[in-house]
């Protein structure tokens, strides 16, 4: 059922799908969907939890790697942008569950997505500062910058396409955006010594 919901949202470029749509796509009946998830919001929450779990489970692994903080930062930027590309409905789901659904859903999203990501950013930034690679950087502002950048690329793309004629987010656009965000973020937080080292 989660696979069916995911496929439908990607096909339609929208999170506006019904339980009957999901039931028809999955071959299950709508009563079974309700039994497992309670309602549509319950299913959307489970889908976001599934998609986020894969990405968030990699954070501890990344932090433990014997590589520089700068290398970890670049891998993280690429990983986050690729996750949004893989699940193009992710940001709309996050917005909906945080702001338009019931308070319990917002609490759950904060618990399994926002809090772990913020905690990872705090620890990675602190590590980079302690190694002399990063300038002091507020983790909340960093989170806002990185996630906000993903938000606008994947959520605001429709508005940009109407205004400027840009096309959809292809694999190539994704690769270009990762390089752009690496340059933008690293240019803002790397110490001068680290910038010189990164430039080779």
């Amino acid at each position: 059922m989660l696979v069916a919901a995911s496929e439908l949202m990607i096909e339609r470029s929208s999170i506006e799908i019904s339980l009957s749509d999901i039931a028809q796509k999955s071959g299950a009946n709508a009563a079974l969907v309700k039994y497992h998830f309670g309602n549509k919001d319950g299913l959307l929450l489970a889908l976001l939890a599934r998609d986020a779990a894969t990405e968030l489970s990699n954070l501890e692994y990344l932090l433990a790697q014997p590589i520089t903080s700068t290398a970890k930062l670049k891998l993280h930027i690429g990983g986050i942008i690729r996750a949004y590309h893989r699940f193009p409905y992710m940001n709309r789901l996050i917005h909906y569950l945080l702001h338009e659904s019931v308070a319990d859903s917002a609490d759950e999203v904060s618990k399994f997505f926002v809090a772990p990501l913020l905690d990872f950013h705090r620890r990675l930034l602190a590590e980079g500062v302690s190694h002399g690679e990063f300038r002091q950087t507020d983790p909340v502002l960093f989170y806002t910058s990185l996630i906000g950048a993903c938000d606008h690329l994947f959520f605001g793309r429709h508005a940009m396409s109407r205004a400027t004629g840009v096309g959809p987010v292809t694999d190539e656009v994704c690769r270009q955006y990762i390089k752009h965000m690496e340059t933008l973020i690293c240019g803002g937080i790397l110490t001068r010594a680290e910038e010189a080292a990164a430039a080779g």
Side-chain angles (χ1 to χ4, degrees):
M1 289 179 266
L2 295 181
V3 171
S6 175
E7 288 175 354
L8 279 170
M9 285 191 276
I10 291 170
E11 286 167 15
R12 298 180 183 182
S13 296
S14 171
I15 64 168
E16 295 302 319
I17 55 174
S18 67
L19 288 180
S20 60
D21 290 335
I22 296 163
Q24 185 176 6
K25 177 89 172 172
S26 66
N29 69 45
L32 193 60
V33 177
K34 284 186 180 178
Y35 173 77
H36 281 290
F37 302 104
N39 55 29
K40 181 181 161 185
D41 282 4
L43 184 140
L44 295 179
L45 189 62
L47 178 61
L48 181 60
R50 183 205 72 173
D51 293 345
T54 305
E55 303 310 316
L56 295 175
S57 66
N58 294 328
L59 298 182
E60 289 299 323
Y61 177 78
L62 177 58
L63 209 54
Q65 294 310 294
I67 55 178
T68 65
S69 301
T70 304
K72 292 175 189 177
L73 176 63
K74 289 181 176 181
L75 287 169
H76 177 58
I77 291 167
I80 286 288
I81 294 170
R82 285 189 197 93
Y84 275 84
H85 185 46
R86 193 177 312 119
F87 308 115
Y89 52 79
M90 184 182 281
N91 237 37
R92 274 169 276 186
L93 270 189
I94 292 168
H95 277 283
Y96 171 75
L97 292 167
L98 282 175
H99 306 295
E100 298 174 43
S101 187
V102 296
D104 286 350
S105 293
D107 289 344
E108 283 299 308
V109 173
S110 296
K111 196 182 302 177
F112 70 69
F113 183 81
V114 179
L117 203 46
L118 257 174
D119 181 59
F120 171 78
H121 290 163
R122 280 192 191 96
R123 290 187 291 154
L124 177 58
L125 292 170
E127 177 190 283
V129 169
S130 72
H131 292 167
E133 296 178 47
F134 300 165
R135 298 182 178 99
Q136 285 287 349
T137 303
D138 184 302
V140 174
L141 295 180
F142 177 85
Y143 172 94
T144 305
S145 300
L146 178 56
I147 303 306
C150 289
D151 186 37
H152 204 70
L153 179 67
F154 295 99
F155 191 63
R157 191 74 172 183
H158 299 296
M160 286 193 292
S161 67
R162 289 189 180 91
T164 64
V166 296
V169 182
T170 61
D171 289 344
E172 180 56 28
V173 169
C174 191
R175 282 190 291 273
Q176 289 172 0
Y177 201 61
I178 289 168
K179 285 184 180 175
H180 170 73
M181 290 307 299
E182 283 178 0
T183 303
L184 203 62
I185 290 174
C186 291
I189 73 170
L190 294 188
T191 61
R192 285 187 181 176
E194 193 59 30
E195 274 188 288

